Amino acid sequence: MAVKIPSLNGLKAFESAARHMSFTQAALELNVTQTAISHQIRRLEDELGVRLFLRFKDGLALTDEGRAYFPGVRSAFHELRHCTETLLDSVHDSALTVSTLVSFASKWLLPRLASFQEAYPNIDVRVSASTDLVDFRKVGIDAAIRYGSGDWKGLRADWLMSDEVFPVCSPKLLVGPNALKAPGDLTHHTLLQVSGMTRDDWSLWLGAAGQPSALAEGSRLTFDLAMMAVQAAIDGLGVCIGRSTYVDDDLKAGRLVAPFALRLKSDLGFYLVTPIEAAHSKKVEAFRAWLIDSIRGANTPGTLLLD
């Protein structure tokens, strides 16, 4: 004999209430009122012709029938959640949207992204470059690469790498009447810097080099983006206070040189930031693994690799 499946809303209310042993907690989880939960369970009991809960002034208890029914209902909802997650993963795994800083995208991520595409040809990467924090759920971002201390509440933050801070310039500034040979020679050159959270880099480096911080207040150019400051240095407009993540490729290519040996380690770093609920999706895990492997395999001077 075919058995009619009872109301799905009633089953959801029963599964949640039995799991929490609370109508109030079930109402919060399902975003309905406590009265609605009570009515849905009453209707389910009427449909089944079986009492599922014993209601007391100080709480709830499952009847013998409720205890027998709960494991199967819980298992069925677990399977539904798993099947839905698998379906959505298969539908959306073809697109991975990554939000990142503009300069990081230009100077580090994009030059290396071809290797990710080769390893995962079925994942369509979409890079959204921005200096602003994003609301992952509202704008459809799967993961973000951000610079900071890693304390973003409600998000998973995986440490990627840190920076070393040091001056860089065009090789042509190492020759001529004002050639850069010692930190004191910076008085003859325009200092290039970036506004925002790294605006004090020149002052910190000059202090560590035993130079007056007033040097950083002389002739200078300030840019909103690190990539612009780096390009200005390549073009010979002055000496940029560089960060290893943004200048290592240009140092390797000979477009820039580091005229002095002193390098400062930064307390901040780059993190892969993901919503907790999406942190273990296949495409995010693939991107995370690729990032970590790329950083570990870089072995470039000035880059602090993962611990």
Side-chain angles (χ1 to χ4, degrees), residues 12 18 22 24 27 104 109 118 146 149 155 161 177 179 191 203 208 211 221 224 233 274 290 306:
K12 285 167 58 181
S22 167
T24 301
F104 186 88
L109 182 60
E118 290 174 5
R146 286 293 179 263
S149 57
L155 299 170
M161 58 186 170
L191 302 189
S203 295
Q211 299 298 309
L221 289 173
D224 290 336
T274 50
W290 171 79
L306 290 116

Side-chain angles (χ1 to χ4, degrees), residues 19-227:
R19 181 160 33 86
H20 293 292
M21 288 310 297
S22 167
F23 284 3
T24 301
Q25 291 300 315
L28 290 172
E29 180 176 270
L30 299 178
N31 197 28
V32 297
T33 65
Q34 183 177 346
T35 301
I37 293 292
S38 181
H39 286 168
Q40 288 168 359
I41 290 176
R42 287 285 191 194
R43 179 183 174 187
L44 177 64
E45 290 176 324
D46 290 341
E47 286 185 76
L48 296 172
V50 173
R51 194 174 184 185
L52 299 172
F53 284 102
L54 297 173
R55 297 158 176 82
F56 304 105
K57 289 183 178 180
D58 57 349
L60 295 173
L62 287 167
T63 63
D64 290 342
E65 293 80 4
R67 282 195 297 273
Y69 195 40
F70 175 55
V73 174
R74 178 177 57 185
S75 176
F77 274 102
H78 176 78
E79 187 63 25
L80 279 171
R81 293 186 190 101
H82 175 71
C83 291
T84 302
E85 182 180 355
T86 300
L87 172 65
L88 293 178
D89 276 350
S90 66
V91 170
H92 299 298
D93 260 357
S94 61
L96 173 70
T97 303
V98 179
S99 171
T100 185
L101 302 171
V102 176
S103 294
F104 186 88
S106 175
K107 302 301 291 184
W108 195 93
L109 182 60
L110 296 183
R112 294 165 173 80
L113 201 53
S115 69
F116 179 80
Q117 293 177 308
E118 290 174 5
Y120 301 96
N122 294 326
I123 298 179
D124 177 18
V125 181
R126 301 170 186 176
V127 177
S128 174
S130 170
T131 57
D132 299 324
L133 294 178
V134 296
D135 186 324
F136 289 91
R137 296 164 186 82
K138 285 185 179 179
V139 297
I141 298 296
D142 298 301
I145 298 172
R146 286 293 179 263
Y147 189 77
S149 57
D151 55 348
W152 294 282
K153 292 183 179 179
L155 299 170
R156 171 172 169 171
D158 291 279
W159 167 265
L160 296 176
M161 58 186 170
S162 184
D163 276 325
E164 289 184 339
V165 180
F166 53 95
V168 293
C169 64
S170 166
K172 62 187 178 183
L173 297 190
L174 300 184
V175 296
N178 295 321
L180 282 169
K181 295 181 180 178
D185 296 329
L186 290 168
T187 57
H188 305 298
H189 296 272
T190 298
L191 302 189
L192 311 176
Q193 63 183 34
V194 182
S195 60
M197 64 192 307
T198 62
R199 61 185 176 274
D200 295 328
D201 282 359
W202 262 123
S203 295
L204 293 171
W205 188 90
L206 287 168
Q211 299 298 309
S213 59
L215 263 177
E217 299 169 5
S219 178
R220 60 181 174 175
L221 289 173
T222 302
F223 301 87
D224 290 336
L225 301 174
M227 58 183 287

Side-chain angles (χ1 to χ4, degrees), residues 254-271:
R255 292 184 289 269
L256 290 173
V257 293
F260 315 117
L262 176 63
R263 298 184 177 204
L264 301 182
K265 292 182 179 180
S266 173
D267 292 331
L268 305 179
F270 290 93
Y271 291 81

